């Protein structure tokens, strides 16, 4: 069983209220069992919602308590992101998922890159909060860009 970012298969859970529907992802999943999650919704955030970025290093540092997730209006949504990651992990473990296919660059789901916290569109190497928690729990994470 693979756990997937819901926005990649057309669910309108993105911060803007839209999705990141991806034909490559759907082709990849054709013969596979999968379950979908949106960590930000699972963490109690509304859709649509204000965009957020990690303000120091990446999701691993958020989990360690050294970094925060902040909206562009400077609201601290760290607890929502951490709770959403924990709920996502609970579901992944419930369904014995060994792999996670997650949306690149998201502050929750990014596997290799995230935005740098400046809300200027700059990206840096690093993982989102849920991707980092999955990796810490031995779930292989990869993004739609790696298909
Ligand atoms: Fe997609 Fe993940 Fe963002 Fe939810 S949290 S909209 S699944 S990238």
């Amino acid at each position: 069983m693979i756990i997937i970012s819901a926005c990649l298969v057309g669910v309108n859970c993105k911060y803007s209220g839209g999705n990141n529907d991806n034909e490559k992802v759907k082709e990849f999943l054709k013969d596979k069992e999968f379950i979908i999650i949106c960590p930000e919704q699972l963490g109690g955030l509304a859709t649509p919602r204000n965009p957020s970025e990690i303000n120091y290093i990446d999701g691993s540092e958020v989990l360690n308590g050294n970094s925060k997730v902040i909206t562009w209006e400077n609201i601290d949504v760290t607890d929502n992101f951490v709770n959403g990651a924990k709920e996502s992990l609970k579901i992944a473990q419930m369904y014995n998922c060994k792999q996670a296919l997650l949306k690149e660059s998201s502050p929750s789901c990014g596997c290799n890159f995230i935005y740098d916290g400046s809300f200027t569109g700059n990206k840096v190497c690093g993982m989102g909060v849920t991707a980092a928690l999955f990796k810490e729990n031995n779930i292989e994470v990869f993004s739609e860009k790696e298909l």
Side-chain angles (χ1 to χ4, degrees), residues 4-8 13-15 20 37-41 49 103 106 108-109:
I4 315 280
S5 295
C7 59
L8 287 174
C13 53
K14 200 175 157 178
Y15 73 90
N20 296 302
I37 43 130
C38 174
E40 290 171 27
Q41 289 187 338
R49 55 189 170 276
K103 175 70 184 74
S106 150
S108 290
C109 296

Side-chain angles (χ1 to χ4, degrees), residues 4-125:
I4 315 280
S5 295
C7 59
L8 287 174
V9 289
V11 177
N12 291 333
C13 53
K14 200 175 157 178
Y15 73 90
S16 61
N19 63 64
N20 296 302
D21 196 24
N22 185 302
E23 288 308 318
K24 262 193 190 169
V25 170
K26 288 196 279 194
E27 181 63 30
F28 174 75
L29 293 174
K30 243 172 32 187
D31 56 351
K32 297 178 179 67
E33 288 195 304
F34 63 93
I35 183 163
I36 61 172
I37 43 130
C38 174
E40 290 171 27
Q41 289 187 338
L42 286 168
L45 293 170
T47 306
R49 55 189 170 276
N50 284 331
S52 304
E53 296 190 4
I54 293 171
N55 70 359
Y56 174 67
I57 314 265
D58 77 348
S60 309
E61 295 299 333
V62 175
L63 294 170
N64 289 339
N66 298 325
S67 178
K68 291 192 173 303
V69 190
I70 306 288
T71 72
W72 67 357
E73 290 180 324
N74 207 28
I75 306 292
D76 184 342
V77 286
T78 307
D79 287 349
N80 298 97
F81 275 69
V82 172
N83 289 339
K86 287 180 179 169
E87 291 300 299
S88 300
L89 178 64
K90 207 187 284 179
I91 293 168
Q93 290 177 332
M94 198 185 297
Y95 286 90
N96 201 23
C97 299
K98 302 288 184 217
Q99 289 185 309
L101 170 52
L102 301 177
K103 175 70 184 74
E104 192 60 278
S105 306
S106 150
S108 290
C109 296
C111 297
N112 303 287
F113 300 98
I114 52 169
Y115 292 98
D116 70 357
S118 65
F119 293 95
T120 57
N122 288 336
K123 290 182 191 177
V124 289
C125 291

